């Protein structure tokens, strides 16, 4: 994994580094939205004191970053976040009332579209003010197809097949391919072809690798080596024991984790193992006297971002991430339930990882474990990305990445997120 050095405090500037194994940190700010300049009104609203009835949901630094990433002003960014939040709450209310759907996603303009199961339900969604459609396949069918491809990959890691995932907007399973020369790749693509137009093959993709740099976003070193990742989220079990939630490959050998030279946590559990079918989630027990804060560092973009919860954002929603290598970068959520083939840059075997999510957030080696956040809702930790990707231009760097959803990790380990 390619790792870059950074300052110890996520509020300080970054410095490039060398090849290392490190763990990324810090959650970012909320739903990404567009723009560069805020109006005085937007700024005033963003800085309203906590508890004020007029206080907005978003901190000003988050709004600025999202606005810049989408090339709009801050008012437009705030409006988009408000609109996305309102649409997701309306959908949640309809689901609680018993109205079934087959998946939902945000389009490029930030509007939610719901997959209805029949014409009667479609009409009810539209009457409730939501866009709706009758898909040819829908999320349930696409998930079954994707599960069959997962089963095919479990027999042998399909070297050359970069990733496969459900694309709700396209109503297809998308398979990304770097090379189809290996026998496992050929077998995998043959299995995919059996599903006809339900599967789309995209060629020419870069290979992927896991990216490995007590403030979320801070650098933490692995054992006594020069390798590192970044500090992720803090959580607790029913007995109140404190844990660091991170990417599984950052704690693959259950190492001692150090901050500023002092051991603060010990790897406890991981579902990542090189060369075997894996899930990139893991936890480390936090040593007595240490803690993980409930705000995410913004790498010089003013105040940290408070973590209020971990409600999953819909596909297409805006989000940002904080990492030790690339700092604060923003984009949108792609797909969930994604499987990828990671190559090992040290010559080890390929590893198939399932259960990830994609995003258009730019990351590099060393960002692993770093926190993704949409609004004030924590979303996940950096898992990996294209091996040769380079992020430039700050928050609006263009790129792609894969992250381990936080809600799945908390549920698997029976933990509760620490919130502000």
């Amino acid at each position: 994994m390619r790792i870059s050095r950074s300052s110890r405090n996520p509020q300080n500037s970054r410095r490039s580094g060398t090849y290392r194994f490190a763990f990324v940190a810090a959650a970012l700010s909320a739903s990404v939205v567009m723009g560069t300049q805020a109006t005085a009104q937007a700024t005033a609203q963003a800085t309203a004191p906590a508890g004020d009835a007029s206080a907005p949901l978003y901190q000003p630094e988050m709004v600025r970053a999202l606005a810049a990433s989408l090339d709009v002003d801050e008012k437009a960014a705030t409006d988009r976040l408000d609109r996305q939040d309102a649409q997701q709450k309306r959908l949640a209310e309809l689901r609680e009332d018993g109205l079934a759907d087959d998946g939902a996603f945000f389009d490029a303009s930030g509007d939610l579209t719901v997959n209805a199961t029949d014409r009667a339900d479609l009409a009810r969604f539209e009457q409730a003010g939501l866009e709706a459609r009758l898909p040819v396949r829908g999320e349930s069918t696409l998930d079954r197809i994707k599960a069959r491809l997962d089963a095919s990959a479990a027999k042998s890691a399909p070297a050359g097949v970069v990733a496969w995932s459900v694309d709700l907007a396209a109503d297809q399973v998308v398979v990304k391919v770097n090379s189809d020369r290996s026998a496992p790749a050929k077998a995998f693509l043959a299995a995919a072809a059996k599903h006809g137009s339900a599967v789309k093959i995209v060629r020419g993709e870069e290979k992927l690798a896991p990216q490995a740099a007590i403030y979320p976003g801070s650098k933490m070193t692995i054992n006594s080596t020069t390798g590192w990742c970044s500090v992720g989220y803090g959580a607790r079990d029913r007995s109140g024991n404190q844990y660091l939630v991170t990417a599984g490959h950052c704690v693959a050998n259950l190492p001692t984790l150090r901050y500023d030279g002092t051991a603060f946590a010990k790897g406890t559990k991981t579902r990542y193992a090189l060369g075997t079918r894996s899930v990139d989630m893991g936890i480390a027990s936090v040593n007595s006297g240490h803690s993980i804060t409930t705000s995410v560092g913004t790498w010089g973009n003013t105040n940290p971002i408070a973590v209020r919860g971990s409600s999953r954002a819909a596909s297409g929603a805006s989000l940002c991430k904080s990492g030790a290598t690339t700092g604060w970068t923003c984009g949108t959520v792609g797909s969930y339930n994604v499987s990828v083939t990671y190559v090992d840059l040290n010559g080890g075997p390929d590893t198939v990882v399932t259960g990830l999510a994609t995003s258009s957030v730019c990351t590099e080696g060393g960002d692993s474990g770093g926190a993704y956040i949409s609004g004030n809702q924590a979303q996940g930790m950096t898992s990996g990305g294209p091996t040769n990707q380079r992020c430039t231009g700050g928050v609006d760097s263009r790129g792609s990445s894969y992250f381990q959803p936080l809600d799945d990790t908390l549920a698997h380990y029976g933990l509760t997120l620490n919130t502000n």
Side-chain angles (χ1 to χ4, degrees), residues 139-183:
E139 185 174 38
S140 299
T141 296
L142 295 175
D143 280 346
R144 286 194 293 270
I145 294 172
K146 196 261 180 179
R148 295 188 185 106
L149 296 182
D150 285 346
S152 177
K155 299 174 184 177
S156 179
V161 180
V162 172
W164 53 104
S165 63
V166 170
D167 186 335
L168 281 181
D171 201 29
Q172 292 177 303
V173 173
V174 177
V175 177
K176 297 181 179 181
V177 182
N178 173 265
S179 171
D180 58 4
R181 294 180 180 179
S182 71

Side-chain angles (χ1 to χ4, degrees), residues 13 23 46 57 60 99 102 110 119 123 128 141 143 189-190 192 235 260 279 294 296 300 348 351 360 406:
S13 60
F23 168 103
L57 297 174
L99 185 56
D102 200 9
R119 293 191 178 281
T141 296
D143 280 346
L189 293 175
D260 201 16
V279 178
T294 54
V296 173
T351 303
S360 61
L406 177 62

Side-chain angles (χ1 to χ4, degrees), residues 155-235:
K155 299 174 184 177
S156 179
V161 180
V162 172
W164 53 104
S165 63
V166 170
D167 186 335
L168 281 181
D171 201 29
Q172 292 177 303
V173 173
V174 177
V175 177
K176 297 181 179 181
V177 182
N178 173 265
S179 171
D180 58 4
R181 294 180 180 179
S182 71
K186 291 178 179 178
F188 183 92
L189 293 175
K194 293 178 181 179
H195 299 287
S197 61
V199 176
K200 177 183 178 181
I201 308 298
V202 180
R203 301 183 184 276
E205 296 293 310
E206 286 192 54
K207 295 179 180 179
L208 302 177
Q211 295 172 328
I214 253 167
Y215 210 111
S218 302
K219 173 183 174 181
M220 70 179 189
T221 54
I222 311 300
N223 287 326
S224 298
T225 69
T226 55
W228 71 75
C229 275
S230 303
V231 177
Y233 292 107

Side-chain angles (χ1 to χ4, degrees), residues 242-314:
Q242 293 293 316
Y243 293 89
L244 170 69
V245 182
T246 183
H249 71 265
C250 290
V251 289
N253 297 311
L254 305 185
T256 295
L257 306 175
R258 298 178 182 274
Y259 171 74
D260 201 16
T262 300
F264 77 94
K266 178 71 169 64
T268 304
K269 295 181 180 180
T270 181
R271 298 181 68 189
Y272 184 92
L274 188 67
T276 66
R277 180 171 174 178
S278 297
V279 178
D280 202 11
M281 63 172 66
I283 57 174
S285 58
V286 177
N287 297 342
S288 176
H290 298 279
S291 64
I292 311 300
T293 69
T294 54
S295 296
V296 173
T298 62
W299 295 91
N301 291 277
T302 68
N303 297 328
I305 305 300
V307 177
R308 305 295 191 192
S310 57
S311 297
R312 179 178 292 200

